[in-house]
Amino acid sequence: MMEELTKTSRILSVYHLFLNCQEVSFQELRQQFGVSERTSLRDIRLLERAGVLETRYDRNTKAFYPVSLEVRPMAEEKNQTRRKYLERIRRLCLLMVRMAEEDDSDGMNKRELYRELFPDCSDRTRQRDFQELEKLGYRASYSREWPDEPGRWSYEIPGTYGLETMPRMRW
């Protein structure tokens, strides 16, 4: 039995789908996360407010299409708690994208990677962010082929439907 999916993990999982799919439908979100259309729409709007996603909705297919995954300015938010949450979502989404880029090359040390992206964040915030992404299946690891030589960092990025937050399909 899968543990209860947190709001943050669900939102990041929705973002992961947009990173990997040409369209994301309400039906797909309901099947994967057991949420209503209203909750799905709130999650997508939150990603848009965080400045990490821009979508277009097609009424015929009842699906969202990513128009842009380019980083844009975050929406203005006066409520400090909501603003901090938007900043956290934005930070985690940017980290997801960057980890995927690093996985395609010789990966940078995860601490250096984080400091490059978010120089003002504390080590504790970095640890919490990586823990949050590990819940989804995004992992960083360090390995050495030879004892005398430096090793390399690699990043494990789940496939489109391979997130640990998604139920496993039984055939």
Side-chain angles (χ1 to χ4, degrees), residues 109 141-154:
N109 175 320
S141 61
Y142 183 77
S143 62
R144 244 177 236 205
E145 284 188 39
W146 309 102
D148 308 4
E149 295 179 15
R152 73 180 285 277
W153 280 91
S154 60

Side-chain angles (χ1 to χ4, degrees), residues 92-105 107 110 113 117 129-130 133-134 137-141 154-157:
L92 288 163
C93 289
L94 295 175
L95 191 54
M96 289 168 71
V97 170
R98 187 59 190 272
M99 285 174 74
E101 290 171 2
E102 288 294 312
D103 192 50
D104 290 338
S105 63
K110 77 176 187 178
L113 172 77
L117 290 171
D129 285 351
F130 275 107
L133 292 181
E134 283 178 12
Y138 278 71
R139 293 192 174 77
S141 61
S154 60
Y155 295 88
E156 181 181 327
I157 310 302

